Each structure stands twice: as structure tokens, then as C-alpha cells.
Amino acid sequence: MLFLGFDSSTQSLTAQIIEVVGDTASLVWESALNFDRDLPQYGTRHGVSPNADPRIVEAPPQMWAEALDMMMARIAASDVDVSSIAAISGSAQQHGTVYLGDAGFTRDRSPIWLDSSTEVECAEITASLGGDDAAARLTGSRVFERFAGPQIRRFWKARPEDYARTRRIHLISSFLCSELLGADAPIDAGDGSGMSLMRLSKAEWDPVALAATAPDLGAKLPAISPSDSIVGTLGRRWQERYGFPAADIVPWTGDNSSSLIGSGCVEEGTLAISLGTSDTIFGVMREPRISANGEGHVFAAPTGDFMGITVFANGSLAREHIRDQYGMNWFTFSRALHATPAGNNGGLLLPWFVPEITPHVPRPRAKRLNIEEHEAARNVRAIVEAQMMAMANHSTWMGVDVGTVYATGGASGNRDVLQIMADVFDARVFASPVRNSACLGATLRAWHAHARAGLGGAAPVSWPDVVRDLTAPDPASVVTPNPANAEVYASLRREYAAFELANTQ
Ligand code: XUL
């Protein structure tokens, strides 16, 4: 039996197919396409439409739909036996919204998670919800600029007529799932947690939050569904055009909830750090402990638990900025890490080359302490150390004793980066064997939901069994902390926190 998963990320669309025989899973097919390169007619750069205002970050939703079509065509043309595909799911960059009217899009550019233009709307919604704390207790997060609610409110204020003729507002995940279904798909509880509109404890739209956001919003949103349900079968268009079967469709979710599964972090105690366009740190929480100072989020997890997550916008964007500024490649970047000592002799860099989410830095600025801009190697070390220390400092709210970290994403292939991670967290770090945890999470969720529904005589499979074959790291890939370095970072983390605080007040 085959299961197909997609991940529509900021810059690309990936598809993976796993084969399950008995309870053994293997990856049998994978393909990716890049929005800038493969769909040049949309004129995106790094997957987004160029905009003179750095706070406005949008992308054309038509491009995501066309990418999905291109990928379905690729799968049909491959040597995969598509008739064996039993279920399909997906994940998409979280928070972005898609606006549909009776005759197509009512907004041809969708705001995405990198957008930070809704400061005013965040304040307005927060006030209606009774402040940051009340908002976090209700929805799992305080109201963030990129979240769907403030984005919808801004659209309603700026373009009330276009808002009025909008019949459906989807998340990117539920929009692409709808494309597969040929009908309106629900929003899953995991992705719904990133909207400032959902009551986390009950996974239902909250009437106060809806009213605080925009008029008639309840009627424009799809239903919320658990992420391990089956919401229909693959639409006829795909069956007729490409010969796909009527495979079960499992709701798409946000890339972070999907990555939780795809990185194998299905039990409390193991955290994942994903080094992607954004850097994220996340893990399962049995109880929804709320981030008191509002820096992290609690989302519904596909396992039925909760997940804690903290997001940093300056992930690979910032690493690439430094690499390019000093004319390096990843090899010379690594050499620079080797050539400099743990703690960088006290040199610190605040790595905010784009507006930062954690801590909240609306206007980009990089600031240095005890380090000069021309010192190339020290700046390379400073950016990696800053990112790791920020992740460690801003995830203590989860109350998880970090013993093990699974590192995923582009930069997790770099052992020098992982050593700094191990030393800063004073934890064992494994390079995850998973190259695209969000996409793999989608294929594994398709399998789990299909088995759970007992279709075709399938028996339910537990989450640890679902992730076992494809996410367990090679024990030999372990990077252990160096005790002397861990001591250096224990105190440097406090200095970094103070430097950060002094520059965000
Ligand atoms: C999560 C977030 C990012 C995006 C990246 O809150 O904003 O991790 O999901 O696609």
C-alpha cells in the first residue's frame, strides 16, 4: 500500500511516497519543485512576491495550486503504481491565508508567515480578548503579526469590498487540501492553532475572537477537524486527468505539526530543532503549558497531545546573509567555525536581518558586541551561537528537560553547527535522517489515519510504530556536548539574554 504526502513550503513543493508492507514503511519516491525556478511566470524571489516594504510578505496562491498540479502530473508520469495510493495528506507553511469568492481569488496575493505588517491589528484583537495573557490562555499563543486573524482583519480594513465578496478564507493547508478534494476541506486543529481564532481546549472557533477580527468571519471559515480523520476522497479531476484512484484524503496541516511527526518527536522529552528558512524548536507537551511571556506557542498536535513551539524568522535567511556578506560557501563557513573558540571570546551578534518573531523585533537590525563587522570568521561563529542561544533561552517556558535533540533541516547536515547546538543545550544531538520532516510527516499521517479508520481491513498503528522505520536517527550520528564548552555557554547565554533584552525594550 502506498501513501502520498506533500509539503508546500515557502520556497518549494515536495512530494514523497512511502510503501507500507505489514507494519514496515519505506520511502519509495520523492520529488521537489522550486517556485522561483519552476514557475518563473509568478516572479517570486525565495517563494515570495518582491515588495518594497519589508514588512509585507505575500505570495500568489495560484502558484501553489499550479505547483500541486505539476507535481501530480510528475507522479502520474513516474514509475510509481499510482493505483496503489491508499491515502494522501499534506502540510503547508503555517498561517498564510487564501481568499476565495464565487469566481476565483478575491485577493491574488496571500499574506504568508514572514509578514509582519499587522502590528495595529494585533493590538486591537489583543485588547478585545483581554490582553496578551488572556489571548494565550484562550488560543495557545498571544496574537502574532503573522497569524491568520490579524491578517484577515487587516484585509477587511484595507479592502472591505473584497472582504465582503470573499466566500471562503482558507489556510494554505486547507486550500491545497480542497484542491485535491475538489470541495471545501476543513482546517485541521494543528494549523487552526496558528490563527488567534480557535479555542485551543476545544478545537472550535471562538465567537469572541471571530467578532474581534472581522464581520461575518464565522461564515467564511471552513469547519475544524481533527488531523487524523478522513475528509473525503481524491476529486474526480485528478482521477480523470492523471489516472489517480479515489484515495482517502486526510486533512493537511501546518508544517510544524507535520514536522513533529516527520521528525519522530511523538513523545514528551525529545525536542526537534528544525534549521530551515525559519528556525524552530518544538516538541510534544502532554499538558498545554502556556508561554507566560508570550514568546512561544502551543498548538494542537496530530498525536492528540499538544506541541510547544518557538519560531525564529532569522534562520537560514540570516545564515545565508552572513555567508554571502563574507563571500563564503558552506565549506568555508564551516572552516570559520573550526577556527574560532566556543564562546567567541565574548563576541555577540544579534542576528536580525529580517524582522524577527522571537524576540519581537519589527525592524531588521544586526547588532554586535565585542566583535567588529570586518572579522569574518568571528561573525560566522557569532551568528550560529546567537541562534542556538536564542533557541535555548526562548524554549525554557516549555518546561521540558532537554535530554535529546533531533536536528532537521538544511543546516543540520553541518556537524560544526550541531556541535554548537549540543554544547549550548548541553544535550545529545542527533542529525535526523529525515530530509523533509514536514513532508514525511504528511505521508506518515496519511498512513496513520488510514490505518486508524480501519479501511481495507487495516489495523490501527501507534504513533511510535508509525515513525519507527523512517525517523530513527543513526546512533552513530550522535554529537555529544563538550563539558567545558557547555560551561562557557551556560554563562554566555545569560549575557546574550541581557544583550537581547537591552536591544528590544
Ligand atoms: C510557525 C511559523 C513558521 C512557518 C514556516 O509559527 O511561522 O515555522 O510555519 O513555514
Side-chain angles (χ1 to χ4, degrees):
M1 223 179 304
L2 302 180
F3 296 95
L4 166 60
F6 292 96
D7 176 50
S8 179
S9 73
T10 313
Q11 310 201 37
S12 57
L13 176 74
T14 307
Q16 291 182 341
I17 296 173
I18 59 168
E19 181 176 28
V20 175
V21 179
D23 68 349
T24 304
S26 54
L27 185 62
V28 294
W29 191 85
E30 175 166 13
S31 179
L33 54 83
N34 175 281
F35 298 138
D36 297 358
R37 192 189 56 222
D38 297 316
L39 292 139
Q41 64 274 32
Y42 291 97
T44 56
R45 228 182 106 61
H46 301 296
V48 308
S49 307
N51 198 304
D53 184 341
R55 291 169 310 164
I56 296 180
V57 186
E58 300 173 327
Q62 181 66 42
M63 175 181 78
W64 300 322
E66 196 171 331
L68 183 64
D69 195 296
M70 281 172 77
M71 189 58 86
M72 289 294 268
R74 265 192 205 177
I75 297 167
S78 74
D79 54 9
V80 168
D81 171 17
V82 293
S83 69
S84 300
I85 296 175
I88 306 175
S89 191
S91 74
Q93 51 174 322
Q94 210 176 344
H95 313 297
T97 35
V98 178
Y99 301 75
L100 293 160
D102 287 327
F105 298 108
T106 54
R107 178 175 181 173
D108 59 8
R109 300 258 173 95
S110 285
I112 68 155
W113 65 277
L114 281 161
D115 187 283
S116 58
S117 65
T118 62
E119 231 171 332
V120 173
E121 291 73 19
C122 287
E124 290 166 348
I125 296 171
T126 303
S128 304
L129 294 181
D132 283 339
D133 255 26
R137 268 181 278 111
L138 179 72
T139 67
S141 305
R142 70 172 172 79
V143 185
F144 280 79
E145 275 102 331
R146 68 192 188 286
F147 277 38
Q151 292 292 344
I152 293 168
R153 182 169 176 78
R154 186 161 187 271
F155 181 58
W156 164 63
K157 283 166 59 181
R159 292 164 53 182
E161 280 112 45
D162 290 333
Y163 176 81
R165 65 188 184 88
T166 300
R167 187 184 50 77
R168 233 336 143 243
I169 301 177
H170 273 296
L171 290 177
I172 302 171
S173 59
S174 60
F175 166 63
L176 291 173
C177 187
S178 303
E179 288 288 300
L180 290 182
L181 272 176
D184 250 342
I187 284 177
D188 95 296
D191 216 7
S193 310
M195 300 177 79
S196 296
L197 293 170
M198 193 186 88
R199 187 189 298 231
L200 184 67
S201 60
K202 295 206 171 138
E204 61 188 24
W205 300 126
D206 180 74
V208 177
L210 293 175
T213 301
D216 301 325
L217 183 53
K220 297 179 196 284
L221 293 173
I224 299 174
S225 119
S227 57
D228 56 358
S229 53
I230 286 172
V231 292
T233 53
L234 187 65
R236 293 185 68 87
R237 160 188 165 201
W238 306 103
Q239 299 180 38
E240 282 159 14
R241 189 172 329 166
Y242 298 123
F244 282 91
D248 291 325
I249 301 292
V250 176
W252 286 41
T253 188
D255 49 2
N256 296 294
S257 334
S258 203
S259 284
L260 189 76
I261 304 301
S263 58
C265 287
V266 293
E267 285 164 312
E268 189 173 284
T270 300
L271 290 188
I273 290 181
S274 161
L275 302 171
T277 304
S278 64
D279 285 348
T280 52
I281 177 164
F282 56 84
V284 163
M285 288 163 52
R286 296 243 171 273
E287 299 302 323
R289 283 181 290 270
I290 299 297
S291 160
N293 58 7
E295 61 198 11
H297 318 295
V298 186
F299 296 154
T303 54
D305 303 298
F306 297 90
M307 68 181 286
I309 172 165
T310 309
V311 178
F312 302 82
N314 283 275
S316 63
L317 293 174
R319 288 184 288 276
E320 284 165 20
H321 182 103
I322 289 283
R323 179 199 64 188
D324 297 346
Q325 179 176 349
Y326 297 101
M328 294 188 180
N329 53 36
W330 291 125
F331 178 74
T332 47
F333 189 93
S334 259
R335 257 209 330 233
L337 291 177
H338 267 293
T340 44
N344 221 1
N345 296 320
L348 294 177
L349 166 69
L350 297 175
W352 303 324
F353 295 97
V354 294
E356 181 51 68
I357 294 167
T358 315
H360 183 220
V361 180
R363 273 157 211 74
R365 97 190 104 105
K367 203 160 170 190
R368 293 169 173 81
L369 184 71
N370 303 328
I371 183 170
E372 300 297 328
E373 187 163 359
H374 65 81
E375 299 175 282
R378 292 189 72 212
N379 274 275
V380 168
R381 174 163 284 277
I383 185 137
V384 177
E385 290 187 342
Q387 292 178 323
M388 297 305 156
M389 291 193 288
M391 280 197 275
N393 289 347
H394 292 290
S395 56
T396 51
W397 67 269
M398 285 174 61
V400 173
D401 188 16
V402 192
T404 303
V405 178
Y406 289 168
T408 73
S412 68
N414 185 322
R415 275 188 84 86
D416 297 298
V417 171
L418 297 195
Q419 185 65 55
I420 296 175
M421 187 186 286
D423 293 344
V424 168
F425 281 85
D426 198 9
R428 299 182 312 162
V429 173
F430 291 90
S432 166
V434 179
R435 271 162 305 133
N436 189 327
S437 54
C439 191
L440 182 63
T443 60
L444 294 175
R445 286 195 316 104
W447 172 23
H448 183 268
H450 186 266
R452 180 172 170 272
L455 297 167
V461 191
S462 71
W463 283 112
D465 283 345
V466 165
V467 302
R468 188 192 58 222
D469 294 332
L470 291 170
T471 69
D474 176 358
S477 76
V478 68
V479 178
T480 47
N482 170 319
N485 293 352
E487 223 169 279
V488 169
Y489 290 122
S491 68
L492 198 64
R493 270 174 66 175
R494 286 191 289 275
E495 281 167 47
Y496 183 79
F499 185 41
E500 198 186 77
L501 197 64
N503 285 282
T504 46
Q505 300 262 298

